[in-house]
Amino acid sequence: MTVSVQGCDGSVLLDGSASGPSEKDAPPNLTLRPSAFKAINDLRAAIDKKCGGVVSCADVAALAARDSVFLSGGPDYKVPLGRRDGLSFATREATLASLPAPTSNVSVLLNALSKLNLNADDLVALSGGHTIGIGHCSSFSNRLYPSRDSTMDQSFAKNLYSTCPTSTSSNTTVLDLRSPNAFDNNYYVDLVNRQGLFTSDQDLYSDARTREIVKRFAGDERLFFERFAASMVKMGQLSVLTGKQGEIRDNCSVRNGRKVDGGDDDDEEGIWSLVDDEVVQSLAFE
Ligand code: HEM
């Protein structure tokens, strides 16, 4: 899961410090790939070279997510920009408490999302992010051991047992077996065929509150793309820091050394704005 616990403030990008282990070192985030953190830092360096240090790491992360979706075949959408970077990361306890586990059912997921003003439509649309990428056995072994989850298709289960021969195997498998590297609506086709990987995926089809939305997305890719983009924009505005709040980090992995002046300025109106794609695209990376 890629949502930052404190909102979209780039806190998950921070390395740990003397004050404790970082958000990315907390168990739910251990599977975030080191290459992704490097990509964000590299993108930031390229942008800094062109523009100076005016684009936050939080904005770079939001744009990188958008571009990854588009480049793998998904929708393009405009990302509101102007986020500032947070000064601290969430503790291990806060991270564990805020990110729902893949063993969660729809009730748990809806409850977690409702605290963020996200609803069942958002939940189903955003879960479509699992149309690309991989998961470790530990994230779905609850569905295999001690016995097969009865909502799981038998031949799909057979393959998963060979990938994860024991409940503690450390192997990985793809999240969307039909087209693991393409951003499309096959994730929902998987769910309809009871071939979703995590409990949090398959329960979207089992639960009457979300089943019809899954079916609609399985039959209408364009609708899924529209709803996914809208929910990403919505999620991307959770607890953003703007104006003079936070900072623009020099290095996305570390908060700036200088002391940041807080106080009255925190109430100042932010520079939240919708920047045209053309402007972003004109940053020709070298
Ligand atoms: C609804 C709650 C969610 C849960 C419980 C959840 C859980 C997980 C888990 C457990 C993994 C695999 C970790 C591993 O075993 O390696 C994963 C991977 C992934 N998730 Fe989610 N996720 C959620 C929402 C999202 C959202 C909203 C997105 C994006 C819009 C997303 C995108 C991804 C992607 C792309 C991967 C693959 C990462 C990789 O290949 O390294 N997930 N998620």
Side-chain angles (χ1 to χ4, degrees):
M1 174 117 171
T2 46
V3 181
S4 176
V5 174
Q6 296 165 169
C8 300
D9 68 348
S11 57
V12 76
L13 304 172
L14 288 170
D15 287 336
S17 67
S19 68
S22 65
E23 195 170 327
K24 70 171 138 176
D25 294 324
N29 288 329
L30 285 176
T31 50
L32 296 180
R33 301 193 203 189
S35 56
F37 291 111
K38 182 173 182 307
I40 300 283
N41 281 340
D42 289 352
L43 287 165
R44 245 301 288 261
I47 294 168
D48 278 9
K49 211 166 141 193
K50 285 275 177 196
C51 316
V54 293
V55 183
S56 68
C57 299
D59 272 351
V60 173
L63 290 166
R66 190 271 310 268
D67 290 351
S68 310
V69 166
F70 180 65
L71 292 171
S72 47
D76 196 5
Y77 53 93
K78 287 181 196 284
V79 176
L81 298 175
R83 296 171 189 77
R84 306 258 302 171
D85 297 322
L87 302 178
S88 61
F89 45 74
T91 61
R92 180 191 156 98
E93 290 68 37
T95 308
L96 279 165
S98 309
L99 295 182
T103 52
S104 308
N105 61 21
V106 165
S107 293
V108 172
L109 295 170
L110 285 176
N111 186 39
L113 264 68
S114 71
K115 293 178 187 149
L116 307 172
N117 280 327
L118 298 172
N119 59 28
D121 289 325
D122 296 311
L123 171 63
V124 179
L126 289 169
S127 295
H130 289 174
T131 176
I132 50 174
I134 56 169
H136 289 74
C137 294
S138 56
S139 299
F140 56 88
S141 60
N142 68 303
R143 304 190 67 209
L144 302 175
Y145 301 101
S147 58
R148 175 176 63 90
D149 178 336
S150 60
T151 63
M152 189 188 280
D153 169 63
Q154 287 208 24
S155 66
F156 180 60
K158 201 168 156 232
N159 288 335
L160 292 184
Y161 278 117
S162 84
T163 305
C164 314
T166 70
S167 62
T168 54
S169 308
S170 57
N171 295 331
T172 60
T173 190
V174 295
L175 301 183
D176 166 15
L177 84 164
R178 286 179 168 70
S179 50
N181 298 317
F183 197 102
D184 55 23
N185 66 338
N186 275 335
Y187 164 81
Y188 301 100
V189 178
D190 298 338
L191 300 188
V192 171
N193 286 286
R194 302 195 293 128
Q195 294 163 334
L197 194 61
F198 306 140
T199 304
S200 60
D201 296 319
Q202 194 57 53
D203 206 45
L204 298 174
Y205 187 67
S206 305
D207 193 301
R209 288 169 290 183
T210 42
R211 185 184 307 129
E212 292 310 312
I213 314 173
V214 170
K215 284 201 215 160
R216 249 184 289 144
F217 289 164
D220 188 344
E221 185 172 76
R222 186 197 285 249
L223 179 69
F224 161 52
F225 281 6
E226 266 171 29
R227 297 293 165 81
F228 178 82
S231 293
M232 283 294 279
V233 170
K234 202 167 155 189
M235 182 170 69
Q237 301 190 30
L238 294 174
S239 308
V240 290
L241 303 176
T242 57
K244 296 202 168 166
Q245 297 171 323
E247 63 185 6
I248 304 278
R249 263 178 234 148
D250 294 333
N251 170 348
C252 292
S253 310
V254 194
R255 65 163 285 189
N256 296 345
R258 67 190 155 73
K259 198 169 166 349
V260 178
D261 46 12
D264 306 335
D265 290 341
D266 285 0
D267 294 325
E268 210 168 84
E269 200 174 324
I271 49 159
W272 192 246
S273 65
L274 188 65
V275 172
D276 262 343
D277 276 2
E278 283 92 316
V279 177
V280 177
Q281 278 159 13
S282 71
L283 297 167
F285 297 139
E286 283 148 11

